[in-house]
Amino acid sequence: MFPAALDWGDSLGAPPTFYTHFFLSLAICGLMASVYPYFILTLLAVHWYLPALIRAQILTGPARADLQTVRKLNRLYLALTALVPMLAIWLVLMFRSEQSWVPMAASAVDVLGLLVMFTLERIIDRDLTALDHLA
């Protein structure tokens, strides 16, 4: 709605590709905004919060099915994290503009973010394996 609302009052005279580019840019940003917090919050929960609850005997241990669900979600979110820089580069290639360097720079930063998320996924997987022995 936001790209269309830009044109309601005064006509911007923008070509239809402007709105497509705008929408796809927002979609990529939304994807980034959802995948990065997932790994950070999951790491906090699995690495510190859940073991503290088990040590305090508030929980006896996680259910094996829950651990498997988290493993599956980790793979899905890692794939989505890898998809973000590829989509951003595709967006730059499809809609050439004088400001192409901005999404290309963001894509380069996102590749570094992918490496960080891959590392977090490995740590989470190791913690899930340790918690699996308690289940």
Side-chain angles (χ1 to χ4, degrees), residues 102-115:
V102 175
M104 288 303 279
S107 296
V109 170
D110 197 48
V111 169
L112 294 175
L114 173 62
L115 295 174

Side-chain angles (χ1 to χ4, degrees), residues 2 8 12 22 33 41 43-44 48 59-60 64-65 70 75-76 78 84 86 114 124 128-130 134-135:
F2 183 65
W8 281 348
L12 294 174
F22 197 95
L41 293 174
L43 177 71
L44 290 173
W48 286 288
L59 292 176
T60 57
R64 213 170 240 117
V70 173
R75 288 187 209 109
L76 172 68
L78 192 60
V84 170
M86 288 185 271
L114 173 62
I124 293 168
L128 290 173
T129 302
L134 298 175

Side-chain angles (χ1 to χ4, degrees), residues 40-83:
I40 294 167
L41 293 174
T42 303
L43 177 71
L44 290 173
V46 171
H47 194 74
W48 286 288
Y49 186 65
L50 191 56
L53 290 174
I54 293 170
R55 276 192 300 276
Q57 296 178 347
I58 295 171
L59 292 176
T60 57
R64 213 170 240 117
D66 293 337
L67 296 175
Q68 292 305 319
T69 301
V70 173
R71 277 194 174 94
K72 289 177 186 174
L73 283 174
N74 283 351
R75 288 187 209 109
L76 172 68
Y77 276 87
L78 192 60
L80 291 174
T81 305
L83 185 65

Side-chain angles (χ1 to χ4, degrees), residues 14 18 24-25 45 84:
F18 168 79
L24 291 173
S25 296
V84 170

Side-chain angles (χ1 to χ4, degrees), residues 92-110:
V92 168
L93 294 174
M94 291 300 292
F95 301 96
R96 296 264 179 193
S97 74
E98 61 276 354
Q99 295 149 346
S100 301
W101 66 272
V102 175
M104 288 303 279
S107 296
V109 170
D110 197 48

